[in-house]
Amino acid sequence: MSVRIDIAGLRPERVAVVPSPLAELGMALHALAEPGHHPGLQGWVTGVTARLDSHLADRMCEADFLWRTTFSDLFMPFAGIPGRSTLPGATIAQELDQLDKLTDEQFVDAALEFTCAVPYSSYGPTMLSDPALHRRALELAASRGPQQVRFTERLLADPVRIRTWFREFVEDCDAAFFADTWCRLRHQLAADARLKTDLLRHKGLAEALTAVSPAVALDEASARIVVDKLGDGRTATEDGGLLLVPTSLGWPHLSVLHRHGWQPTLHYPVGSPELASPSSVEQLALRMTALSHPVRMRLCRHLARSAYTTSELAQAHGMTAPEISRHLSVLKKAGLITTRRRGRYVLHQLDVTVVARLGSDFLEGILR
């Protein structure tokens, strides 16, 4: 499973690394709505929540599905501007002006992404132009609860009014808490953007993407960027560009904007608290599967305490050596055990460090 970006014909000068204040505000709202995703931001979340005006807090709940259950593309309007080469603005005001350049159809489809009523990465009719999709969006919103239904009804009936509501809401969030946060974060993001830009210029796209995340790789043979995610998607730069947008508040989320017709954008976290590279989704699946078998669980209990030979494990578990070898092979393929030779004996032992990371790796993998 992965998101793939076809970059055939992409010129180096069309790749840009630029921070986005509006995208970072979107991540700030997500962290406030889902603090469990961001344990490292607990102090910031507590501080902002404590001084938040109750009226603004209520408005945050009015459409929190835009940043709680999805990362709405409304927070990256630059990607939807025709020509697919527009860069993020330097300020919230500039990016809100970019948002005003989106058509009502673009605005509505991006805002109602949480309903999954229209295809995301392929061409199709819009909710405003297709009555069947209009009805389908309301049905899917209803399954999410009355709050989503009210927002969807208002948006489909009067998109201009909701556009005004969204602009005023963003401006109020900026004044209430985000301007101070952005003043602190923008220097770190600008420094990371300079670093990635230098890598692009001097070492090429592959090196820059590796620095973005170990989950991002360039397949030069097929002119394609592959992002290891628990999901499938596809887009292409075509005659446009590619944007890399750093976020300081976003870990562990690595987002890929691959909406049809929009400029492909990688929204990647900087300053990750991880001490080691995250596991691929495939490796994570291997490990979870390997540990799901009761015999292998019992083997891990032995191997966590000391190193054992295959014969010793067979005797301890009342099984044949070939049976134990097959289970050890599964554990080894998943990277859960280490093997070393001591004289004529081959010893196996659980890699406790890898197993200890499974909790955080699982969380990172499903949230990536």
Side-chain angles (χ1 to χ4, degrees):
M1 290 179 286
S2 61
V3 177
R4 299 169 297 284
I5 305 173
D6 187 342
I7 59 168
L10 177 66
R11 302 194 305 273
E13 64 271 18
R14 300 300 296 273
V15 182
V17 191
V18 188
S20 163
L22 186 56
E24 195 70 352
L25 173 56
M27 292 311 308
L29 289 168
H30 172 72
L32 290 169
E34 291 285 2
H37 291 190
H38 307 272
L41 298 177
Q42 183 177 5
W44 177 83
V45 168
T46 301
V48 170
T49 304
R51 63 176 185 272
L52 202 60
D53 174 77
S54 59
H55 179 58
L56 182 57
D58 289 341
R59 289 162 66 200
M60 281 186 182
C61 297
E62 197 171 342
D64 66 352
F65 38 85
L66 294 177
W67 50 84
R68 181 192 290 272
T69 56
T70 59
F71 300 123
S72 175
D73 293 340
L74 294 180
F75 291 97
M76 291 191 273
F78 44 83
I81 294 176
R84 302 199 296 178
S85 59
T86 302
L87 300 181
T91 65
I92 288 287
Q94 289 175 6
E95 293 196 299
L96 286 174
D97 289 342
Q98 292 175 337
L99 185 65
D100 288 342
K101 295 179 181 179
L102 299 185
T103 65
D104 284 347
E105 288 78 8
Q106 285 179 301
F107 184 91
V108 169
D109 285 353
L112 295 183
E113 178 189 339
F114 75 93
T115 66
C116 303
V118 297
Y120 183 81
S121 55
S122 60
Y123 177 76
T126 69
M127 291 189 219
L128 286 182
S129 64
D130 190 305
L133 282 179
H134 186 119
R135 290 191 298 272
R136 180 62 175 155
L138 288 169
E139 290 171 2
L140 291 169
S143 68
R144 302 291 184 91
Q147 183 173 286
Q148 284 88 333
V149 173
R150 286 193 295 270
F151 181 86
T152 302
E153 288 173 340
R154 290 166 55 204
L155 178 59
L156 290 170
D158 192 353
V160 173
R161 182 181 176 186
I162 296 299
R163 292 176 79 127
T164 301
W165 175 91
F166 186 78
R167 171 182 272 272
E168 291 175 351
F169 172 74
V170 167
E171 290 172 340
D172 289 347
C173 287
D174 187 42
F177 67 88
F178 184 71
D180 291 340
T181 300
W182 179 249
C183 186
R184 175 172 53 84
L185 297 180
R186 63 188 177 91
H187 302 293
Q188 179 196 19
L189 297 179
D192 184 83
R194 287 193 297 271
L195 175 64
K196 301 297 190 297
T197 300
D198 285 343
L199 284 173
L200 280 168
R201 290 175 179 169
H202 301 299
K203 295 192 175 181
L205 182 59
E207 289 283 343
L209 292 176
T210 298
V212 162
S213 170
V216 183
L218 175 63
D219 182 349
E220 296 190 67
S222 58
R224 180 183 298 162
I225 295 170
V226 181
V227 185
D228 183 50
K229 288 179 69 68
L230 200 62
D232 290 300
R234 186 162 193 166
T235 187
T237 53
E238 297 180 349
D239 58 347
L242 172 69
L243 280 174
L244 309 179
V245 177
T247 168
S248 185
L249 300 176
W251 186 89
H253 305 297
L254 172 64
S255 304
V256 188
L257 193 163
H258 56 284
R259 181 180 293 276
H260 179 79
W262 289 43
Q263 183 175 193
T265 303
L266 277 172
H267 195 202
Y268 67 93
V270 302
S272 165
E274 291 187 307
L275 299 177
S277 298
S279 299
S280 69
V281 171
E282 181 182 6
Q283 184 74 355
L284 179 61
L286 277 175
R287 290 174 178 171
M288 301 295 281
T289 301
L291 291 174
S292 66
H293 197 287
V295 171
R296 292 194 283 272
M297 285 287 285
R298 291 196 297 271
L299 285 174
C300 286
R301 179 177 173 83
H302 259 83
L303 296 172
R305 289 163 170 76
S306 183
Y308 291 92
T309 67
T310 301
S311 297
E312 289 172 328
L313 291 169
Q315 184 176 3
H317 291 270
M319 300 172 68
T320 66
E323 288 175 323
I324 292 294
S325 291
R326 285 194 291 272
H327 286 297
L328 289 175
S329 178
V330 173
L331 293 170
K332 187 172 183 179
K333 186 178 180 181
L336 295 170
I337 63 172
T338 60
T339 300
R340 70 181 189 275
R341 181 173 290 278
R342 189 176 65 195
R344 64 188 181 91
Y345 297 103
V346 176
L347 298 171
H348 312 283
Q349 189 164 16
L350 190 70
D351 190 332
V352 177
T353 302
V354 171
V355 177
R357 278 180 48 83
L358 268 179
S360 58
D361 275 349
F362 179 71
L363 183 63
E364 194 273 347
I366 60 175
L367 293 179
R368 188 185 297 158

